[in-house]
Amino acid sequence: MRIQRISQTPVPSAQEVDISLIESIIPKYKDKKGGLITLLQEIQTVYTYLPKAALQRVEEELNYPLSELYAVATFYAQFKLKPSGKYSIKVCKGTACHVQNANAVMNALSEHLKVNDGETTEDGKFTLEAVSCLGCCSLAPAIMIGDETFGKLSGETAVKAVINFN
């Protein structure tokens, strides 16, 4: 059996992350109990992921141990520790979509974008990811690009949706 090395996308260093973008967010959580997840969501909205430099800033300002921040960030699937594309393409893999051939949709998108599940296109525009359910079973198979839902797709129509998006 041969093992193939998977290339890693370089993660921006702390110097490349503009911390000033979150300076107005952090103080809102200074004396708030139970706001950590919301804080991390807001930070991720700014950067598309949770940069180490941003987590270090939260540690400094709010006295959360860095280990606790990483524990929360790695426990919840919604948080990303490496940059995501400007737009997330979520391919539903729920039962209804699976039965309606969501695999063909995923394969077509993967081939068109030249990325696998969880990867980001070279231009940083799209991140492709399989999700358990989008909650729109009557549209199976379905995808979401950003906040827009597309349904009743084939591999070909899913690729067209991506090409015509934005």
Side-chain angles (χ1 to χ4, degrees):
M1 179 168 102
R2 292 183 64 100
I3 298 175
Q4 182 179 1
R5 184 173 299 274
I6 299 172
S7 64
Q8 300 242 335
T9 306
V11 176
S13 67
Q15 294 84 8
E16 295 174 21
V17 176
D18 184 0
I19 293 301
S20 69
L21 298 175
I22 61 167
E23 290 299 335
S24 64
I25 296 172
I26 296 172
K28 296 190 303 187
Y29 297 90
K30 189 81 169 164
D31 295 314
K32 234 184 197 178
K33 291 224 182 263
L36 179 57
I37 291 173
T38 309
L39 168 63
L40 295 178
Q41 288 170 328
E42 284 195 51
I43 292 170
Q44 184 165 284
T45 299
V46 171
Y47 299 109
T48 74
Y49 74 111
L50 296 172
K52 182 176 182 178
L55 295 177
Q56 289 171 328
R57 187 74 177 145
V58 170
E59 178 186 41
E60 292 167 10
E61 293 293 318
L62 303 181
N63 297 319
Y64 280 109
L66 195 56
S67 60
E68 183 178 335
L69 297 174
Y70 275 109
V72 171
T74 57
F75 180 79
Y76 293 101
Q78 67 178 299
F79 294 120
K80 313 255 184 280
L81 295 176
K82 63 181 187 175
S84 293
K86 181 177 181 184
Y87 302 104
S88 175
I89 301 173
K90 295 179 176 139
V91 179
C92 183
K93 293 290 193 122
T95 303
C97 289
H98 175 74
V99 170
Q100 294 295 327
N101 209 3
N103 286 339
V105 171
M106 182 65 143
N107 292 340
L109 290 172
S110 180
E111 185 177 315
H112 172 74
L113 297 169
K114 296 177 178 50
V115 295
N116 293 314
D117 183 14
E119 296 178 344
T120 301
T121 57
E122 211 171 270
D123 64 2
K125 188 170 182 181
F126 295 108
T127 297
L128 181 64
E129 57 185 321
V131 296
S132 298
C133 185
L134 292 175
C136 51
C137 300
S138 64
L139 297 177
I143 65 171
M144 283 185 76
I145 305 174
D147 294 329
E148 198 169 334
T149 304
F150 300 84
K152 304 279 186 188
L153 300 170
S154 65
E156 185 179 319
T157 57
V159 168
K160 284 181 183 175
V162 170
I163 291 170
N164 294 325
F165 188 79
N166 199 357

